[in-house]
Amino acid sequence: RKSGKFRWHSHSTLQRIDVFGGLIVYDPEESYILGRDYDEEIFIVLHDHYHDVGDTNFNWYLSKLSTGFEPVPDIGLINGQGIANCSRFPKWYTCTSGASRLTFRFKRGQRYRLRILNSSAFSEMTFSIDDHILTVIEVDSTEVEGSSTYFLSISPGQRYSVIVEADSNLDSVYMRTQIQSSCFKYRPYGYKSDFSTVVDLSPSPTARIKQAARSLFNSWMPPVRPRSSRWNDILPPDECIDLDVSSLKPKLALDVPEPDVRYTISPKNMQFDRMHLAPFGFINRTSFLPAIGAPNLQVALGFVNASDTVPVPTISGRQNTAFWGGDQLVTEIPLGSVVELIVNNDDEGAHPFHLHGHDFWVLRVYAETKTGVGNWQAGYVSSSAS
């Protein structure tokens, strides 16, 4: 049984950039209860937005023009809304300046559960709320012991639940989100990586009168801007870093079992002259392509033999195996086995790693750089072991 918040998206070509959303699965036996541990919940979806549709970006990425660099998003959105820099738009686009920011209304003294999803195609996000502490209670659908932090670094597809108490003395504060643009291979001229919304904390009667006046005479009165300050002494610089996993303790503690099998996987992106310099993602020197005429399920059931059907050589120049095609990295694991994975990042950039439908224990972490590039060193024991 799996509960928590999830992301759904289209699986056709690169439509996940354009067609996506959030989903909550409630568990009647969950540890954190509405009305006892928090008073209200809000779903927040962070997203990097491209003005062109996914297929257009994908075709550019696979062309020589990209030189293997992933396309950089044009703007960041919170719940589908954002404020763009109109100077970056081509003249044939319509762009209007002076739009008001998205506003969340908190009642002072109330506790709010924010279910935060990063549904970006490419960008890691840093999330924070001025003058407020975030108490992390759930990570990727796993409940954890409450852990306080000033910010969250959230990778694409990653989800957090935090409890925030509306206890600031200010009438309004900024909810800030910053795209970690240091992960990008390039930044367009005039690119702005930070975007924010406003949290309105039940202002005083005088402030409410001013707010009502602005609503009536919005055409000439300037929008309200919070006077809150960023956590400048706490927030990290523009770097691709994750939350320290050692601070996260599952509510349901389980002993790590001994592994039955051990595998090493090494992801990497590569380009080939003979493939027109198109970038391909590899795991253990295999880049997956559909086996036309030999779908994996039919091969697994013994209905067809991929080695007799799939042409060679493959993208990497490998021959077919006796059973599978050369573009299919398939590892047969006995049902019920405990698997130990050693994950080496052979690429020059950071990458999130996940297993569909599975939770796993992080046993040890070794990284020569903050971005997690490099191979596992068995003699090194990290403080992040948990």
PDB file of all heavy atoms in Angstrom, residues 228-262:
ATOM      1  N   SER A 228       9.519  41.410   3.820  1.00  0.00           N
ATOM      2  CA  SER A 228      10.322  40.330   4.396  1.00  0.00           C
ATOM      3  C   SER A 228      11.654  40.202   3.658  1.00  0.00           C
ATOM      4  O   SER A 228      11.799  40.629   2.518  1.00  0.00           O
ATOM      5  CB  SER A 228       9.555  39.010   4.318  1.00  0.00           C
ATOM      6  OG  SER A 228       9.301  38.647   2.973  1.00  0.00           O
ATOM      7  N   SER A 229      12.607  39.584   4.348  1.00  0.00           N
ATOM      8  CA  SER A 229      13.947  39.401   3.791  1.00  0.00           C
ATOM      9  C   SER A 229      14.239  37.922   3.587  1.00  0.00           C
ATOM     10  O   SER A 229      13.755  37.062   4.322  1.00  0.00           O
ATOM     11  CB  SER A 229      15.007  39.993   4.735  1.00  0.00           C
ATOM     12  OG  SER A 229      14.797  41.379   4.908  1.00  0.00           O
ATOM     13  N   ARG A 230      15.048  37.650   2.592  1.00  0.00           N
ATOM     14  CA  ARG A 230      15.476  36.287   2.283  1.00  0.00           C
ATOM     15  C   ARG A 230      16.395  35.765   3.387  1.00  0.00           C
ATOM     16  O   ARG A 230      17.090  36.536   4.051  1.00  0.00           O
ATOM     17  CB  ARG A 230      16.207  36.305   0.940  1.00  0.00           C
ATOM     18  CG  ARG A 230      16.620  34.977   0.374  1.00  0.00           C
ATOM     19  CD  ARG A 230      17.275  35.212  -0.979  1.00  0.00           C
ATOM     20  NE  ARG A 230      17.662  33.969  -1.635  1.00  0.00           N
ATOM     21  CZ  ARG A 230      18.847  33.395  -1.506  1.00  0.00           C
ATOM     22  NH1 ARG A 230      19.771  33.968  -0.751  1.00  0.00           N
ATOM     23  NH2 ARG A 230      19.123  32.276  -2.135  1.00  0.00           N
ATOM     24  N   TRP A 231      16.386  34.441   3.574  1.00  0.00           N
ATOM     25  CA  TRP A 231      17.285  33.839   4.551  1.00  0.00           C
ATOM     26  C   TRP A 231      18.716  33.859   3.984  1.00  0.00           C
ATOM     27  O   TRP A 231      19.309  32.823   3.688  1.00  0.00           O
ATOM     28  CB  TRP A 231      16.885  32.393   4.832  1.00  0.00           C
ATOM     29  CG  TRP A 231      15.588  32.196   5.550  1.00  0.00           C
ATOM     30  CD1 TRP A 231      14.406  31.809   5.001  1.00  0.00           C
ATOM     31  CD2 TRP A 231      15.353  32.337   6.945  1.00  0.00           C
ATOM     32  NE1 TRP A 231      13.431  31.711   5.968  1.00  0.00           N
ATOM     33  CE2 TRP A 231      13.988  32.029   7.183  1.00  0.00           C
ATOM     34  CE3 TRP A 231      16.139  32.700   8.038  1.00  0.00           C
ATOM     35  CZ2 TRP A 231      13.412  32.069   8.444  1.00  0.00           C
ATOM     36  CZ3 TRP A 231      15.560  32.735   9.297  1.00  0.00           C
ATOM     37  CH2 TRP A 231      14.223  32.427   9.497  1.00  0.00           C
ATOM     38  N   ASN A 232      19.287  35.036   3.837  1.00  0.00           N
ATOM     39  CA  ASN A 232      20.572  35.157   3.149  1.00  0.00           C
ATOM     40  C   ASN A 232      21.704  34.438   3.870  1.00  0.00           C
ATOM     41  O   ASN A 232      22.630  33.913   3.239  1.00  0.00           O
ATOM     42  CB  ASN A 232      20.953  36.635   2.996  1.00  0.00           C
ATOM     43  CG  ASN A 232      20.134  37.329   1.925  1.00  0.00           C
ATOM     44  OD1 ASN A 232      19.850  36.750   0.889  1.00  0.00           O
ATOM     45  ND2 ASN A 232      19.723  38.550   2.182  1.00  0.00           N
ATOM     46  N   ASP A 233      21.661  34.385   5.186  1.00  0.00           N
ATOM     47  CA  ASP A 233      22.750  33.759   5.926  1.00  0.00           C
ATOM     48  C   ASP A 233      22.567  32.250   6.050  1.00  0.00           C
ATOM     49  O   ASP A 233      23.445  31.554   6.548  1.00  0.00           O
ATOM     50  CB  ASP A 233      22.858  34.382   7.326  1.00  0.00           C
ATOM     51  CG  ASP A 233      21.558  34.263   8.110  1.00  0.00           C
ATOM     52  OD1 ASP A 233      20.497  34.178   7.476  1.00  0.00           O
ATOM     53  OD2 ASP A 233      21.603  34.260   9.360  1.00  0.00           O
ATOM     54  N   ILE A 234      21.405  31.745   5.586  1.00  0.00           N
ATOM     55  CA  ILE A 234      21.112  30.317   5.725  1.00  0.00           C
ATOM     56  C   ILE A 234      21.079  29.611   4.373  1.00  0.00           C
ATOM     57  O   ILE A 234      21.626  28.524   4.202  1.00  0.00           O
ATOM     58  CB  ILE A 234      19.754  30.105   6.432  1.00  0.00           C
ATOM     59  CG1 ILE A 234      19.772  30.747   7.826  1.00  0.00           C
ATOM     60  CG2 ILE A 234      19.414  28.628   6.529  1.00  0.00           C
ATOM     61  CD1 ILE A 234      20.754  30.124   8.782  1.00  0.00           C
ATOM     62  N   LEU A 235      20.436  30.222   3.393  1.00  0.00           N
ATOM     63  CA  LEU A 235      20.268  29.589   2.097  1.00  0.00           C
ATOM     64  C   LEU A 235      21.608  29.405   1.396  1.00  0.00           C
ATOM     65  O   LEU A 235      22.477  30.265   1.475  1.00  0.00           O
ATOM     66  CB  LEU A 235      19.338  30.420   1.211  1.00  0.00           C
ATOM     67  CG  LEU A 235      17.852  30.355   1.564  1.00  0.00           C
ATOM     68  CD1 LEU A 235      17.073  31.304   0.670  1.00  0.00           C
ATOM     69  CD2 LEU A 235      17.316  28.951   1.402  1.00  0.00           C
ATOM     70  N   PRO A 236      21.787  28.288   0.713  1.00  0.00           N
ATOM     71  CA  PRO A 236      23.055  28.058   0.011  1.00  0.00           C
ATOM     72  C   PRO A 236      23.142  28.927  -1.224  1.00  0.00           C
ATOM     73  O   PRO A 236      22.141  29.467  -1.698  1.00  0.00           O
ATOM     74  CB  PRO A 236      22.957  26.571  -0.370  1.00  0.00           C
ATOM     75  CG  PRO A 236      21.483  26.341  -0.528  1.00  0.00           C
ATOM     76  CD  PRO A 236      20.821  27.206   0.508  1.00  0.00           C
ATOM     77  N   PRO A 237      24.328  29.085  -1.774  1.00  0.00           N
ATOM     78  CA  PRO A 237      24.450  29.797  -3.051  1.00  0.00           C
ATOM     79  C   PRO A 237      23.796  28.983  -4.161  1.00  0.00           C
ATOM     80  O   PRO A 237      23.262  27.903  -3.932  1.00  0.00           O
ATOM     81  CB  PRO A 237      25.967  29.920  -3.242  1.00  0.00           C
ATOM     82  CG  PRO A 237      26.528  28.794  -2.426  1.00  0.00           C
ATOM     83  CD  PRO A 237      25.613  28.624  -1.254  1.00  0.00           C
ATOM     84  N   ASP A 238      23.857  29.516  -5.359  1.00  0.00           N
ATOM     85  CA  ASP A 238      23.216  28.866  -6.499  1.00  0.00           C
ATOM     86  C   ASP A 238      24.002  27.610  -6.872  1.00  0.00           C
ATOM     87  O   ASP A 238      24.840  27.623  -7.758  1.00  0.00           O
ATOM     88  CB  ASP A 238      23.157  29.844  -7.674  1.00  0.00           C
ATOM     89  CG  ASP A 238      22.385  29.284  -8.849  1.00  0.00           C
ATOM     90  OD1 ASP A 238      21.713  28.250  -8.673  1.00  0.00           O
ATOM     91  OD2 ASP A 238      22.458  29.876  -9.941  1.00  0.00           O
ATOM     92  N   GLU A 239      23.737  26.525  -6.148  1.00  0.00           N
ATOM     93  CA  GLU A 239      24.428  25.270  -6.381  1.00  0.00           C
ATOM     94  C   GLU A 239      23.420  24.125  -6.422  1.00  0.00           C
ATOM     95  O   GLU A 239      22.347  24.212  -5.822  1.00  0.00           O
ATOM     96  CB  GLU A 239      25.457  24.985  -5.283  1.00  0.00           C
ATOM     97  CG  GLU A 239      26.604  25.975  -5.220  1.00  0.00           C
ATOM     98  CD  GLU A 239      27.567  25.656  -4.098  1.00  0.00           C
ATOM     99  OE1 GLU A 239      27.262  24.736  -3.306  1.00  0.00           O
ATOM    100  OE2 GLU A 239      28.616  26.307  -4.010  1.00  0.00           O
ATOM    101  N   CYS A 240      23.766  23.068  -7.124  1.00  0.00           N
ATOM    102  CA  CYS A 240      22.914  21.880  -7.184  1.00  0.00           C
ATOM    103  C   CYS A 240      23.251  20.972  -6.004  1.00  0.00           C
ATOM    104  O   CYS A 240      24.140  20.127  -6.087  1.00  0.00           O
ATOM    105  CB  CYS A 240      23.124  21.133  -8.495  1.00  0.00           C
ATOM    106  SG  CYS A 240      22.481  22.009  -9.918  1.00  0.00           S
ATOM    107  N   ILE A 241      22.575  21.149  -4.901  1.00  0.00           N
ATOM    108  CA  ILE A 241      22.793  20.310  -3.730  1.00  0.00           C
ATOM    109  C   ILE A 241      21.446  19.839  -3.216  1.00  0.00           C
ATOM    110  O   ILE A 241      20.412  20.464  -3.447  1.00  0.00           O
ATOM    111  CB  ILE A 241      23.555  21.050  -2.608  1.00  0.00           C
ATOM    112  CG1 ILE A 241      22.766  22.278  -2.147  1.00  0.00           C
ATOM    113  CG2 ILE A 241      24.940  21.441  -3.064  1.00  0.00           C
ATOM    114  CD1 ILE A 241      23.368  22.959  -0.936  1.00  0.00           C
ATOM    115  N   ASP A 242      21.451  18.725  -2.517  1.00  0.00           N
ATOM    116  CA  ASP A 242      20.232  18.153  -1.977  1.00  0.00           C
ATOM    117  C   ASP A 242      20.236  18.321  -0.465  1.00  0.00           C
ATOM    118  O   ASP A 242      21.249  18.654   0.147  1.00  0.00           O
ATOM    119  CB  ASP A 242      20.133  16.675  -2.368  1.00  0.00           C
ATOM    120  CG  ASP A 242      18.706  16.164  -2.311  1.00  0.00           C
ATOM    121  OD1 ASP A 242      17.829  16.918  -1.867  1.00  0.00           O
ATOM    122  OD2 ASP A 242      18.479  15.012  -2.706  1.00  0.00           O
ATOM    123  N   LEU A 243      19.074  18.061   0.151  1.00  0.00           N
ATOM    124  CA  LEU A 243      18.986  18.078   1.604  1.00  0.00           C
ATOM    125  C   LEU A 243      19.811  16.924   2.160  1.00  0.00           C
ATOM    126  O   LEU A 243      19.849  15.831   1.583  1.00  0.00           O
ATOM    127  CB  LEU A 243      17.520  17.934   2.022  1.00  0.00           C
ATOM    128  CG  LEU A 243      17.177  18.195   3.488  1.00  0.00           C
ATOM    129  CD1 LEU A 243      17.399  19.657   3.832  1.00  0.00           C
ATOM    130  CD2 LEU A 243      15.731  17.803   3.770  1.00  0.00           C
ATOM    131  N   ASP A 244      20.500  17.154   3.255  1.00  0.00           N
ATOM    132  CA  ASP A 244      21.322  16.125   3.866  1.00  0.00           C
ATOM    133  C   ASP A 244      20.424  14.970   4.309  1.00  0.00           C
ATOM    134  O   ASP A 244      19.565  15.128   5.171  1.00  0.00           O
ATOM    135  CB  ASP A 244      22.069  16.716   5.070  1.00  0.00           C
ATOM    136  CG  ASP A 244      23.014  15.718   5.719  1.00  0.00           C
ATOM    137  OD1 ASP A 244      23.107  14.580   5.231  1.00  0.00           O
ATOM    138  OD2 ASP A 244      23.658  16.083   6.719  1.00  0.00           O
ATOM    139  N   VAL A 245      20.625  13.792   3.701  1.00  0.00           N
ATOM    140  CA  VAL A 245      19.742  12.670   4.001  1.00  0.00           C
ATOM    141  C   VAL A 245      19.871  12.197   5.434  1.00  0.00           C
ATOM    142  O   VAL A 245      18.973  11.515   5.956  1.00  0.00           O
ATOM    143  CB  VAL A 245      20.005  11.493   3.032  1.00  0.00           C
ATOM    144  CG1 VAL A 245      19.673  11.882   1.607  1.00  0.00           C
ATOM    145  CG2 VAL A 245      21.441  11.010   3.135  1.00  0.00           C
ATOM    146  N   SER A 246      20.976  12.521   6.110  1.00  0.00           N
ATOM    147  CA  SER A 246      21.142  12.075   7.492  1.00  0.00           C
ATOM    148  C   SER A 246      20.144  12.747   8.428  1.00  0.00           C
ATOM    149  O   SER A 246      19.933  12.279   9.547  1.00  0.00           O
ATOM    150  CB  SER A 246      22.576  12.345   7.967  1.00  0.00           C
ATOM    151  OG  SER A 246      22.835  13.739   8.008  1.00  0.00           O
ATOM    152  N   SER A 247      19.518  13.844   7.985  1.00  0.00           N
ATOM    153  CA  SER A 247      18.533  14.530   8.819  1.00  0.00           C
ATOM    154  C   SER A 247      17.148  13.914   8.699  1.00  0.00           C
ATOM    155  O   SER A 247      16.224  14.321   9.407  1.00  0.00           O
ATOM    156  CB  SER A 247      18.462  16.015   8.437  1.00  0.00           C
ATOM    157  OG  SER A 247      17.956  16.169   7.115  1.00  0.00           O
ATOM    158  N   LEU A 248      16.973  12.929   7.815  1.00  0.00           N
ATOM    159  CA  LEU A 248      15.659  12.328   7.562  1.00  0.00           C
ATOM    160  C   LEU A 248      15.603  10.932   8.179  1.00  0.00           C
ATOM    161  O   LEU A 248      16.374  10.046   7.802  1.00  0.00           O
ATOM    162  CB  LEU A 248      15.391  12.253   6.056  1.00  0.00           C
ATOM    163  CG  LEU A 248      15.478  13.585   5.306  1.00  0.00           C
ATOM    164  CD1 LEU A 248      15.342  13.351   3.810  1.00  0.00           C
ATOM    165  CD2 LEU A 248      14.418  14.558   5.791  1.00  0.00           C
ATOM    166  N   LYS A 249      14.694  10.752   9.120  1.00  0.00           N
ATOM    167  CA  LYS A 249      14.521   9.472   9.789  1.00  0.00           C
ATOM    168  C   LYS A 249      13.095   8.982   9.562  1.00  0.00           C
ATOM    169  O   LYS A 249      12.134   9.648   9.966  1.00  0.00           O
ATOM    170  CB  LYS A 249      14.778   9.604  11.295  1.00  0.00           C
ATOM    171  CG  LYS A 249      16.144  10.184  11.654  1.00  0.00           C
ATOM    172  CD  LYS A 249      17.273   9.281  11.189  1.00  0.00           C
ATOM    173  CE  LYS A 249      18.634   9.865  11.578  1.00  0.00           C
ATOM    174  NZ  LYS A 249      19.754   9.037  11.062  1.00  0.00           N
ATOM    175  N   PRO A 250      12.917   7.812   8.914  1.00  0.00           N
ATOM    176  CA  PRO A 250      11.555   7.314   8.660  1.00  0.00           C
ATOM    177  C   PRO A 250      10.774   7.092   9.943  1.00  0.00           C
ATOM    178  O   PRO A 250      11.333   6.696  10.977  1.00  0.00           O
ATOM    179  CB  PRO A 250      11.809   5.989   7.934  1.00  0.00           C
ATOM    180  CG  PRO A 250      13.184   6.107   7.371  1.00  0.00           C
ATOM    181  CD  PRO A 250      13.948   6.967   8.335  1.00  0.00           C
ATOM    182  N   LYS A 251       9.477   7.363   9.889  1.00  0.00           N
ATOM    183  CA  LYS A 251       8.605   7.115  11.035  1.00  0.00           C
ATOM    184  C   LYS A 251       8.588   5.637  11.383  1.00  0.00           C
ATOM    185  O   LYS A 251       8.593   5.258  12.555  1.00  0.00           O
ATOM    186  CB  LYS A 251       7.180   7.583  10.719  1.00  0.00           C
ATOM    187  CG  LYS A 251       6.881   9.026  11.076  1.00  0.00           C
ATOM    188  CD  LYS A 251       6.640   9.169  12.563  1.00  0.00           C
ATOM    189  CE  LYS A 251       6.072  10.528  12.923  1.00  0.00           C
ATOM    190  NZ  LYS A 251       5.850  10.651  14.390  1.00  0.00           N
ATOM    191  N   LEU A 252       8.525   4.815  10.355  1.00  0.00           N
ATOM    192  CA  LEU A 252       8.544   3.364  10.548  1.00  0.00           C
ATOM    193  C   LEU A 252       9.969   2.879  10.315  1.00  0.00           C
ATOM    194  O   LEU A 252      10.419   2.739   9.184  1.00  0.00           O
ATOM    195  CB  LEU A 252       7.575   2.677   9.581  1.00  0.00           C
ATOM    196  CG  LEU A 252       7.497   1.154   9.656  1.00  0.00           C
ATOM    197  CD1 LEU A 252       7.045   0.711  11.051  1.00  0.00           C
ATOM    198  CD2 LEU A 252       6.567   0.605   8.585  1.00  0.00           C
ATOM    199  N   ALA A 253      10.683   2.647  11.406  1.00  0.00           N
ATOM    200  CA  ALA A 253      12.080   2.243  11.307  1.00  0.00           C
ATOM    201  C   ALA A 253      12.171   0.744  11.042  1.00  0.00           C
ATOM    202  O   ALA A 253      11.535  -0.062  11.729  1.00  0.00           O
ATOM    203  CB  ALA A 253      12.820   2.592  12.591  1.00  0.00           C
ATOM    204  N   LEU A 254      12.936   0.364  10.025  1.00  0.00           N
ATOM    205  CA  LEU A 254      13.140  -1.033   9.674  1.00  0.00           C
ATOM    206  C   LEU A 254      14.633  -1.317   9.596  1.00  0.00           C
ATOM    207  O   LEU A 254      15.415  -0.489   9.131  1.00  0.00           O
ATOM    208  CB  LEU A 254      12.486  -1.353   8.323  1.00  0.00           C
ATOM    209  CG  LEU A 254      10.963  -1.183   8.224  1.00  0.00           C
ATOM    210  CD1 LEU A 254      10.512  -1.385   6.779  1.00  0.00           C
ATOM    211  CD2 LEU A 254      10.248  -2.164   9.137  1.00  0.00           C
ATOM    212  N   ASP A 255      15.019  -2.486  10.059  1.00  0.00           N
ATOM    213  CA  ASP A 255      16.413  -2.890   9.966  1.00  0.00           C
ATOM    214  C   ASP A 255      16.753  -3.218   8.516  1.00  0.00           C
ATOM    215  O   ASP A 255      15.950  -3.818   7.794  1.00  0.00           O
ATOM    216  CB  ASP A 255      16.679  -4.111  10.847  1.00  0.00           C
ATOM    217  CG  ASP A 255      16.547  -3.788  12.331  1.00  0.00           C
ATOM    218  OD1 ASP A 255      16.793  -2.625  12.693  1.00  0.00           O
ATOM    219  OD2 ASP A 255      16.189  -4.693  13.104  1.00  0.00           O
ATOM    220  N   VAL A 256      17.951  -2.830   8.103  1.00  0.00           N
ATOM    221  CA  VAL A 256      18.385  -3.103   6.736  1.00  0.00           C
ATOM    222  C   VAL A 256      18.735  -4.586   6.614  1.00  0.00           C
ATOM    223  O   VAL A 256      19.604  -5.083   7.334  1.00  0.00           O
ATOM    224  CB  VAL A 256      19.609  -2.256   6.361  1.00  0.00           C
ATOM    225  CG1 VAL A 256      20.041  -2.536   4.930  1.00  0.00           C
ATOM    226  CG2 VAL A 256      19.298  -0.778   6.549  1.00  0.00           C
ATOM    227  N   PRO A 257      18.079  -5.313   5.718  1.00  0.00           N
ATOM    228  CA  PRO A 257      18.392  -6.741   5.572  1.00  0.00           C
ATOM    229  C   PRO A 257      19.691  -6.949   4.808  1.00  0.00           C
ATOM    230  O   PRO A 257      20.171  -6.065   4.101  1.00  0.00           O
ATOM    231  CB  PRO A 257      17.191  -7.271   4.765  1.00  0.00           C
ATOM    232  CG  PRO A 257      16.734  -6.083   3.975  1.00  0.00           C
ATOM    233  CD  PRO A 257      16.990  -4.872   4.834  1.00  0.00           C
ATOM    234  N   GLU A 258      20.250  -8.109   4.946  1.00  0.00           N
ATOM    235  CA  GLU A 258      21.452  -8.463   4.187  1.00  0.00           C
ATOM    236  C   GLU A 258      21.071  -8.689   2.722  1.00  0.00           C
ATOM    237  O   GLU A 258      20.050  -9.311   2.433  1.00  0.00           O
ATOM    238  CB  GLU A 258      22.102  -9.716   4.760  1.00  0.00           C
ATOM    239  CG  GLU A 258      22.766  -9.507   6.110  1.00  0.00           C
ATOM    240  CD  GLU A 258      23.931  -8.536   6.029  1.00  0.00           C
ATOM    241  OE1 GLU A 258      24.677  -8.589   5.019  1.00  0.00           O
ATOM    242  OE2 GLU A 258      24.088  -7.724   6.960  1.00  0.00           O
ATOM    243  N   PRO A 259      21.872  -8.200   1.777  1.00  0.00           N
ATOM    244  CA  PRO A 259      21.515  -8.368   0.358  1.00  0.00           C
ATOM    245  C   PRO A 259      21.722  -9.788  -0.139  1.00  0.00           C
ATOM    246  O   PRO A 259      22.635 -10.492   0.317  1.00  0.00           O
ATOM    247  CB  PRO A 259      22.457  -7.387  -0.338  1.00  0.00           C
ATOM    248  CG  PRO A 259      23.639  -7.295   0.575  1.00  0.00           C
ATOM    249  CD  PRO A 259      23.103  -7.427   1.971  1.00  0.00           C
ATOM    250  N   ASP A 260      20.876 -10.185  -1.074  1.00  0.00           N
ATOM    251  CA  ASP A 260      21.032 -11.469  -1.744  1.00  0.00           C
ATOM    252  C   ASP A 260      21.896 -11.336  -2.997  1.00  0.00           C
ATOM    253  O   ASP A 260      22.626 -12.264  -3.349  1.00  0.00           O
ATOM    254  CB  ASP A 260      19.657 -12.030  -2.140  1.00  0.00           C
ATOM    255  CG  ASP A 260      18.762 -12.255  -0.937  1.00  0.00           C
ATOM    256  OD1 ASP A 260      19.207 -12.912   0.021  1.00  0.00           O
ATOM    257  OD2 ASP A 260      17.611 -11.755  -0.946  1.00  0.00           O
ATOM    258  N   VAL A 261      21.776 -10.189  -3.667  1.00  0.00           N
ATOM    259  CA  VAL A 261      22.547  -9.942  -4.884  1.00  0.00           C
ATOM    260  C   VAL A 261      23.035  -8.499  -4.879  1.00  0.00           C
ATOM    261  O   VAL A 261      22.468  -7.642  -4.191  1.00  0.00           O
ATOM    262  CB  VAL A 261      21.711 -10.202  -6.163  1.00  0.00           C
ATOM    263  CG1 VAL A 261      21.422 -11.690  -6.322  1.00  0.00           C
ATOM    264  CG2 VAL A 261      20.420  -9.395  -6.132  1.00  0.00           C
ATOM    265  N   ARG A 262      24.091  -8.236  -5.628  1.00  0.00           N
ATOM    266  CA  ARG A 262      24.644  -6.882  -5.712  1.00  0.00           C
ATOM    267  C   ARG A 262      24.899  -6.547  -7.173  1.00  0.00           C
ATOM    268  O   ARG A 262      25.424  -7.366  -7.927  1.00  0.00           O
ATOM    269  CB  ARG A 262      25.943  -6.770  -4.927  1.00  0.00           C
ATOM    270  CG  ARG A 262      26.619  -5.404  -5.047  1.00  0.00           C
ATOM    271  CD  ARG A 262      27.959  -5.362  -4.354  1.00  0.00           C
ATOM    272  NE  ARG A 262      27.822  -5.437  -2.914  1.00  0.00           N
ATOM    273  CZ  ARG A 262      28.529  -6.243  -2.133  1.00  0.00           C
ATOM    274  NH1 ARG A 262      29.428  -7.058  -2.675  1.00  0.00           N
ATOM    275  NH2 ARG A 262      28.352  -6.248  -0.830  1.00  0.00           N
TER     276      ARG A 262
END
